[in-house]
């Protein structure tokens, strides 16, 4: 998992693998067996400045699977429309983590919208010094545009520590102030804004 900071993809076993008959004992099926790892105990809680957040109730070791980011899979055009609506509401659970394939540059990646159909992962807040890493996971398809997002720890995490991820928004320096989103992570190396 150390090399996945650059956006590499993890491939899990699928129905064509020799282990298909014994899925639950296969060690290469973390994300598809559970949307939340059985070894973690998570809690949604009210943060001081960021609204709702997610924390762990017991320590989680470095490089552990935590959960999958789950939601409705939608096209980029729909994501743009919903994103504008969600920006007005001040609440968005959109996640785009697909790649444009060089042989099909006109096909845009899909987006996961966890607003109405999601799990506990949608409460993971941003931090400029995050303790979690999102990894693209492939199971039954080789289409790089179809996302399954596995969330893993990047370091040891203490009990009752908030779980955070770097949203990696592009910071457009020409964006008008009314469209900018200030960052509230409070970390020493905070970039000051999400976008």
């Amino acid at each position: 998992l150390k090399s996945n900071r650059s956006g590499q993809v993890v491939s899990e076993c699928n129905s064509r693998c020799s282990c298909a008959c014994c899925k639950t004992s296969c060690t290469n099926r973390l994300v598809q067996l559970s949307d939340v790892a059985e070894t973690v105990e998570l809690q949604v809680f009210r943060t001081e400045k960021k609204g709702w957040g997610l924390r762990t109730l017991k320590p989680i070791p470095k490089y552990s699977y935590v959960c999958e980011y789950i939601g409705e899979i939608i096209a980029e055009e729909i994501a743009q429309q919903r994103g504008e609506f969600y920006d007005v509401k001040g609440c968005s659970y959109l996640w785009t983590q697909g790649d444009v394939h060089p042989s099909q540059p006109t096909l845009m990646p899909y987006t996961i919208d966890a607003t109405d159909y999601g799990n506990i992962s949608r409460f993971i807040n941003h931090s400029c010094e995050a303790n979690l890493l999102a990894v693209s996971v492939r199971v039954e398809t080789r289409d790089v545009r179809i996302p399954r997002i596995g969330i893993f720890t990047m370091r040891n995490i203490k009990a009752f520590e908030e779980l955070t991820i770097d949203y990696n928004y592009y910071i457009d320096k020409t964006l008008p102030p009314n469209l900018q989103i200030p960052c509230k992570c409070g970390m020493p190396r905070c970039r000051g804004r999400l976008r």
Side-chain angles (χ1 to χ4, degrees):
L1 219 63
K2 292 177 190 176
S3 64
N4 280 306
R5 280 181 171 267
S6 63
Q8 291 181 351
V9 174
V10 169
S11 293
E12 289 194 350
C13 289
N14 58 46
S15 60
R16 289 180 233 100
C17 293
S18 60
C19 64
C21 64
C22 50
K23 292 178 189 175
T24 55
S25 63
C26 176
T27 58
N28 191 32
R29 291 177 184 264
L30 285 174
V31 173
Q32 61 189 295
L33 290 179
S34 176
D35 66 328
V36 178
E38 294 177 10
T39 57
V40 299
E41 290 182 33
L42 307 177
Q43 179 185 58
V44 175
F45 74 106
R46 190 79 168 152
T47 68
E48 193 174 310
K49 297 179 182 177
K50 300 177 281 187
W52 295 103
L54 188 66
R55 64 181 165 203
T56 178
L57 297 178
K58 64 181 189 177
I60 308 174
K62 186 177 186 178
Y63 304 129
S64 295
Y65 170 62
V66 176
C67 59
E68 178 179 5
Y69 193 84
I70 289 180
E72 178 186 9
I73 297 176
I74 57 175
E76 184 62 23
E77 303 82 41
I78 295 170
Q80 289 295 331
Q81 294 169 1
R82 289 185 185 179
E84 290 172 14
F85 175 71
Y86 295 156
D87 283 350
V88 171
K89 288 176 52 177
C91 186
S92 178
Y93 299 107
L94 296 174
W95 189 306
T96 302
Q97 184 163 324
D99 298 315
V100 176
H101 196 275
S103 68
Q104 298 173 315
T106 58
L107 296 176
M108 296 303 292
Y110 291 102
T111 296
I112 299 173
D113 183 352
T115 304
D116 294 323
Y117 310 100
N119 66 359
I120 200 166
S121 64
R122 70 182 179 175
F123 295 104
I124 298 172
N125 284 316
H126 164 82
S127 175
C128 295
E129 295 179 36
N131 53 23
L132 300 176
L133 171 70
V135 177
S136 294
V137 179
R138 303 290 174 250
V139 179
E140 292 290 344
T141 182
R142 292 191 177 269
D143 187 340
V144 296
R145 300 172 305 132
I146 298 175
R148 274 195 88 164
I149 310 301
I151 299 176
F152 295 81
T153 58
M154 294 195 316
R155 61 171 174 76
N156 292 327
I157 300 177
K158 297 178 276 192
F160 299 100
E161 185 175 349
E162 182 177 5
L163 301 177
T164 59
I165 202 154
D166 189 337
Y167 291 175
N168 286 314
Y169 287 149
Y170 169 71
I171 297 182
D172 182 353
K173 303 221 186 287
T174 65
L175 197 65
N178 64 319
L179 296 178
Q180 295 177 10
I181 301 173
C183 182
K184 299 176 183 176
C185 75
M187 300 305 286
R189 293 190 302 246
C190 178
R191 295 186 293 270
R193 58 187 245 214
L194 296 181
R195 69 162 194 213

